[in-house]
Amino acid sequence: MERGTMTGLALRHMVEHSFSEAQGARPRALNVPRVGLVFTDGRSQDDISVWAARAKEEGIVMYAVGVGKAVEEELRKIASEPAELHVSYSPDFGTMTHLLENLKGSICPEEGISAGTELRSPCECESLVEFQGRTLGALESLTQKHILWGWGRGLEGR
């Protein structure tokens, strides 16, 4: 709290903890895509480059979603290549629902390939889309209740 936007710290937590089997990640042997979705609305107060690169080295397909005063240069560092497919922007949290179709198209292309990883079951892709829909719905609900008013002031890493 009160340390500003700590996107680098959030990325570190994601890489070190969020994709571990102890936290519910499927074993790598199952070849299930690992997808990271980062939301930010301002310049990070810490370095993001080390942990953004580490996430990609770990095989996590990174999507960066900028909101409001997000910094394009940081979004591009976070996102996987090509940036055009992995970076999205929304002027505010209330208008984020349009991102769902873009993310669905990026994560679940018609060919059944996501970042070079073959999806063996359409259920895997549908689960990702369902998760994204619930996440965006929760964000919208929290925004309406003014719970996310401090988002971007150090709360996003929590």
Side-chain angles (χ1 to χ4, degrees):
M1 298 289 281
E2 299 181 18
R3 290 185 6 195
T5 300
M6 304 299 286
T7 311
L9 186 61
L11 288 166
R12 177 181 177 181
H13 179 82
M14 180 196 70
V15 169
E16 290 183 340
H17 302 286
S18 297
F19 288 96
S20 69
E21 288 182 42
Q23 293 294 320
R26 295 183 190 110
R28 287 195 182 273
L30 294 178
N31 201 29
V32 175
R34 294 174 184 231
V35 178
L37 183 57
V38 176
F39 291 86
T40 184
D41 69 347
R43 183 174 300 279
S44 183
Q45 302 301 306
D46 61 351
D47 181 42
I48 64 165
S49 57
V50 171
W51 290 101
R54 179 89 179 269
K56 292 176 249 182
E57 289 167 7
E58 293 287 324
I60 302 168
V61 179
M62 295 297 297
Y63 289 85
V65 179
V67 182
K69 296 180 181 178
V71 178
E72 183 178 357
E73 177 185 342
E74 289 185 1
L75 296 174
R76 289 180 170 275
K77 280 185 184 177
I78 293 168
S80 293
E81 292 292 331
E84 295 74 30
L85 297 178
H86 295 93
V87 173
S88 297
Y89 175 79
S90 182
D92 57 57
F93 286 102
T95 59
M96 290 182 66
T97 54
H98 77 279
L99 296 177
L100 182 58
E101 283 303 313
N102 292 342
L103 290 170
K104 178 181 172 184
S106 296
I107 294 173
C108 307
E110 295 174 5
E111 301 297 324
I113 305 275
S114 176
T117 304
E118 183 173 339
L119 296 176
R120 289 179 266 162
S121 166
C123 296
E124 292 172 355
C125 189
E126 290 170 12
S127 295
L128 290 171
V129 173
E130 180 182 340
F131 170 76
Q132 292 167 356
R134 286 188 306 215
T135 301
L136 290 173
L139 282 171
E140 184 175 335
S141 174
L142 292 172
T143 300
Q144 290 172 355
K145 294 177 185 176
H146 303 289
I147 292 173
L148 287 177
W149 66 269
W151 214 80
R153 292 170 181 79
L155 299 179
E156 71 272 27
R158 302 212 179 279

